[in-house]
């Protein structure tokens, strides 16, 4: 018998309980042990719920219960999640979490404690929700040098951009629709400003390159500046606008970024629409491998958490090696990154053509029927060069990078 305690009985925590209950037989067959939820920590009571009798209100009850083998953290946030997870690992209990903020901030420390105590800190659900990506990076792609990871890592922003593309609606209208359908939070800033995707790519970069990647060092740009005109220009270019989180290893240097990007019809991420997510990994031996599915959702994410519970149950007293130390990964200075840009400036073509050429050099004009602005595509230039040209022009409306 494997006893599990769940910290937090919200959307994901209740989903974990449901998966363990409904799929108990197949889980027992695949684990070789019956897995039972012994207790659930939450401040609230849940009258009439199947889990009502399992609810406890004080972590000390769980911490002091010697029969608990695995702790599941689905509380979210950093505190007290960090303190509870650390305490559990120090007692030799494996911990499974969906908490990307926790993993991004304290991953190396918690991994190290798990290694010392011969247990496991597992976080499959922290990046792709129901999409398996952590374990494939650690095992299936372990023989490879990871050259690049790029992906659509946030379903909310992908849904908004898809709706703007397919229905011609403006950003604010689609955001309200996403909130009404439960795809966006009441405060959507973590999604639409790119912070959610930034933490996820930081975790993936840390695993790919073995060192702590601080999400604060990653340039992050959201989708709030994308307008219907940007969408129309993208269609003229036979492309779609997606917010792409990426990290790339070139010559031993790693660059990372989260920003809207133009992808054409030949790009693997072009057809990833709606609330779906996809992660494209390029290994030096395996080549391109793509993982696609629901990046969020109660049962999809809970399924990923339970997969970690099964993994932990199969390895009692054995640490599954995770290479991710606390040495800080050096990110290439943002101004040195190279991109090709689609740029819009206010004013007519006649007013801008000469000034644009002086600022950017050779460009390719793009027409979409707007007489009050001039749009063009640059050659590949550094971010530093772009910033200088933008400053010299002073009338840029928006810019989007090509992927």
């Amino acid at each position: 018998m494997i006893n599990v305690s769940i910290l937090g009985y919200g959307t994901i925590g209740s989903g974990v309980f449901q998966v363990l209950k409904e799929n108990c037989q197949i889980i027992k067959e695949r684990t070789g042990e019956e897995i039972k939820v012994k207790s659930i920590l939450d401040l609230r009571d849940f009258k009439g719920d199947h889990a009502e009798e399992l609810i406890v209100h004080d972590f000390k009850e769980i911490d002091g219960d010697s029969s608990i083998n695995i702790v599941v953290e689905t509380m979210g946030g950093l505190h007290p999640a960090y303190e509870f997870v650390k305490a559990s690992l120090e007692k030799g209990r494996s911990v499974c979490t969906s908490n990307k903020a926790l993993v991004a901030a304290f991953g190396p420390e918690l991994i190290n404690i798990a290694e010392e105590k011969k247990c496991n800190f597992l976080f499959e659900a922290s990046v792709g929700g129901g999409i398996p990506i952590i374990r494939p990076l650690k095992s299936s792609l372990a023989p490879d040098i990871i050259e690049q990871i790029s992906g659509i890592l946030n379903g909310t922003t992908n849904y908004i951009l898809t709706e703007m593309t397919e229905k011609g609606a403006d950003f604010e209208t689609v955001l309200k629709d996403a909130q009404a359908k439960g795809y966006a939070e009441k405060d959507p800033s973590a999604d639409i400003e790119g912070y959610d995707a930034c933490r996820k790519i930081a975790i993936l970069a840390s695993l790919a390159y073995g060192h702590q990647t601080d999400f604060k060092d990653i340039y992050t740009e959201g989708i709030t500046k994308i307008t219907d005109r940007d969408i129309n220009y993208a269609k003229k270019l036979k492309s779609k606008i997606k917010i792409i989180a990426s990290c790339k290893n070139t010559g031993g240097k790693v660059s990372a970024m989260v920003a809207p990007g133009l992808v054409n019809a030949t790009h693997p991420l072009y057809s990833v629409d709606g609330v779906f997510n996809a992660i494209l990994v390029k290994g030096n031996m395996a080549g391109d491998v793509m993982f696609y599915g629901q990046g969020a959702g109660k049962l999809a994410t809970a399924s990923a958490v339970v997969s970690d519970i099964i993994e932990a149950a199969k390895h009692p007293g054995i640490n599954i090696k995770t290479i991710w130390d606390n040495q800080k990964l050096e990110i290439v200075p943002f101004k040195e990154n190279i991109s090709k840009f689609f740029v819009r400036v206010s004013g007519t073509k006649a007013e801008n053509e000469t000034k644009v050429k002086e600022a950017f050099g050779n460009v390719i004009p793009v027409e979409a029927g707007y007489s009050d602005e001039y749009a063009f595509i640059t050659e590949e230039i550094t971010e530093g060069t772009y910033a200088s040209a933008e400053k010299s022009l002073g009338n840029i409306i928006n810019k989007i990078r090509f992927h």
Side-chain angles (χ1 to χ4, degrees), residues 98-120:
S98 60
N99 189 341
K100 57 186 168 289
L102 177 74
V103 177
F106 298 107
E109 178 189 355
L110 298 173
I111 287 167
N112 187 56
I113 293 170
E115 187 171 359
E116 288 178 357
K117 297 297 181 177
K118 294 183 172 55
C119 58
N120 289 287

Side-chain angles (χ1 to χ4, degrees), residues 251-386:
K253 295 182 178 180
V254 177
S255 58
M257 183 189 303
V258 176
L262 283 157
V263 295
N264 64 32
T266 63
H267 196 288
L269 299 177
Y270 178 86
S271 299
V272 180
D273 291 326
V275 295
F276 282 85
N277 288 188
I279 305 161
L280 184 65
V281 182
K282 184 175 184 179
N284 70 326
M285 297 297 168
D288 289 337
V289 183
M290 191 163 89
F291 303 85
Y292 170 85
Q294 292 186 55
K298 176 177 178 175
L299 293 181
T301 304
S303 175
V305 175
V306 174
S307 77
D308 278 345
I309 295 173
I310 292 171
E311 189 77 356
K314 284 181 174 179
H315 297 87
I318 301 171
N319 177 259
I320 304 164
K321 183 71 175 176
T322 299
I323 301 174
W324 176 358
D325 62 36
N326 59 11
Q327 179 184 330
K328 193 171 180 180
L329 182 72
E330 287 192 30
I331 302 293
V332 172
F334 178 67
K335 65 181 181 180
E336 296 178 15
N337 288 335
I338 297 173
S339 294
K340 184 166 69 171
F341 294 84
F342 164 74
V343 185
R344 296 166 52 211
V345 296
S346 59
T348 65
K349 179 178 180 180
E351 292 170 337
N352 284 289
E353 200 166 19
T354 301
K355 291 189 294 182
V356 165
K357 185 173 178 60
E358 289 174 354
F360 284 99
N362 294 324
V363 300
I364 301 171
V366 181
E367 294 286 347
Y370 303 115
S371 60
D372 59 344
E373 63 180 65
Y374 177 51
F376 56 91
I377 299 169
T378 72
E379 295 181 321
E380 286 194 336
I381 56 176
T382 66
E383 293 285 345
T385 300
Y386 171 83

Side-chain angles (χ1 to χ4, degrees), residues 21 41 48 95 108 155 204 231 249 275 312 382 386 390 396 402:
K21 184 178 176 66
L41 177 70
V95 174
L204 294 179
I231 299 291
N249 183 5
V275 295
T382 66
Y386 171 83
E390 181 184 72
I396 288 179
F402 282 83

Side-chain angles (χ1 to χ4, degrees), residues 5 21 60 98 102 124 162 170 172 211 214 328 391:
S5 184
K21 184 178 176 66
K60 290 179 181 178
S98 60
L102 177 74
E124 182 63 70
T162 300
D170 64 88
E172 290 297 336
H211 303 302
D214 192 338
K328 193 171 180 180
K391 187 176 181 179

